[in-house]
Amino acid sequence: METISLKREPPFGWIYLNRPDKLNAINEKMIEELGETIKQLENDNEIKVIIITGTGKAFCAGADISHFKTLNPERAWLFAKKGRELMDKIENLGKPVIAMINGYALGGGLEIAMACDIRIASEEAQLGLPEITLGIYPGFGGTQRLPRLVGKGRALLMMFTGDKITAKDAERFGLVEVVVSKEALEEETRKMATKIASQSQVAISEIKLLVNKGLDSSIDAGLNMESLGWGVAFTTDDAKKRIDDFLSKRKG
Ligand SMILES: CCCCC/C=C/C(=O)SCCNC(=O)CCNC(=O)[C@H](O)C(C)(C)COP(=O)(O)OP(=O)(O)OC[C@H]1O[C@@H](n2cnc3c(N)ncnc32)[C@H](O)[C@@H]1OP(=O)(O)O
């Protein structure tokens, strides 16, 4: 692959956005290759947690601006459509996806991170949706996902100004869950991923689905989905074993 590299390390699948000389800017090839890689890891039973990060000093500096010049309206529409479908795919994947933000996460790069389930960032990272400075606006889901994470006012302020924010501020606003030093980033991500990978994969997958669908539904519909699904999670061999283990330890 030209723009993505994959490190298969069961139970983890590490996806690297890999155009470091262009700060991992997203072109059509990257959308295509990231989609293929996600599909490959989705069908790989040994992979329980997917981690997306960037090679070099950036997570991703957004859509490739030099590429914009080559797009006619039809290709631009298709690029945005394919990008949006890829973000939806990541968000709805039956496996947890962590964005390990190692540097700039801007424009389409932040939109990839926002489609992931959890964001862990290095202290040096800077995040933002600077599309407005180019006279455009986010096209891979940013206008919808940012306000859901940080609230309407903060999201509008970020998109109206295009200003970059620090990882610490992003954590304060709820855009990033964890901030660590650059040196600790990979190790802390591994710790987080190890803990998640050790849980029941059925339960993890159901939680993800319930949270995502629940946030788009009424509280009543969400609570009903939770009750209906709960009976299924309860009957898995994994749940039975964990419950038996707990009870037998208490008896012993
Ligand atoms: C059609 C659907 C669109 C979907 C919606 C998405 C839209 C977007 O994402 S628009 C892009 C939003 N991103 C930006 O506006 C960020 C642009 N980049 C920067 O502002 C800076 O590069 C920086 C602040 C992130 C880093 O600055 P610095 O450390 O000084 O590094 P350089 O500027 O020298 O960058 C190194 C190298 O990378 C190229 N590059 C950086 N970002 C992009 C980009 N988004 N697209 C294309 N190329 C990018 C930069 O041009 C340099 O390349 P060379 O000049 O060949 O060395």
Side-chain angles (χ1 to χ4, degrees), residues 21-23 25 57 61-66 68 71 76 79-80 104 106-109 111 130-131 133-134 136-140 164:
D21 53 328
K22 296 290 172 196
L23 305 187
K57 75 170 185 180
D64 190 324
I65 301 167
S66 60
F68 285 172
L71 296 178
F79 183 44
Y104 292 112
L106 301 174
E111 292 177 297
E131 287 87 342
T133 63
L134 301 168
I136 55 173
Y137 61 83
F140 293 156
K164 298 189 253 312

Side-chain angles (χ1 to χ4, degrees), residues 45-165:
N45 290 336
E46 287 186 66
I47 300 299
K48 305 210 182 311
V49 180
I50 297 169
I51 300 135
I52 303 181
T53 190
T55 305
K57 75 170 185 180
F59 176 77
C60 171
D64 190 324
I65 301 167
S66 60
H67 180 65
F68 285 172
K69 280 281 181 196
T70 67
L71 296 178
N72 61 25
E74 286 77 14
R75 266 182 73 192
W77 174 81
L78 199 62
F79 183 44
K81 179 173 179 288
K82 286 189 171 169
R84 178 252 153 109
E85 286 168 355
L86 175 60
M87 304 309 143
D88 290 353
K89 172 87 186 162
I90 293 170
E91 189 170 66
N92 294 311
L93 205 72
K95 298 185 182 189
V97 187
I98 300 173
M100 185 174 94
I101 304 174
N102 54 306
Y104 292 112
L106 301 174
L110 181 56
E111 292 177 297
I112 293 178
M114 288 193 291
C116 296
D117 302 316
I118 297 164
R119 287 151 290 281
I120 175 167
S122 126
E123 276 162 359
E124 281 93 42
Q126 293 186 44
L127 300 86
L129 292 177
E131 287 87 342
I132 194 72
T133 63
L134 301 168
I136 55 173
Y137 61 83
F140 293 156
T143 61
Q144 303 306 305
R145 291 194 177 94
L146 187 63
R148 281 169 169 78
L149 289 167
V150 304
K152 180 179 161 187
R154 180 73 57 189
L156 288 173
L157 182 62
M158 284 178 67
M159 287 187 277
F160 284 174
T161 61
D163 286 348
K164 298 189 253 312
I165 60 170

Side-chain angles (χ1 to χ4, degrees), residues 7 10 12 18 21 26 29 34 41 43 64 70 80 87 111 116 125 137-138 144 148 153 179 182 207 250:
K7 185 166 75 174
F12 312 134
N18 193 25
D21 53 328
I26 308 164
K29 192 78 186 161
L34 182 56
L41 294 177
N43 295 324
D64 190 324
T70 67
M87 304 309 143
E111 292 177 297
C116 296
Y137 61 83
Q144 303 306 305
R148 281 169 169 78
V179 178
K182 188 178 167 186
I207 291 169
R250 296 199 77 174

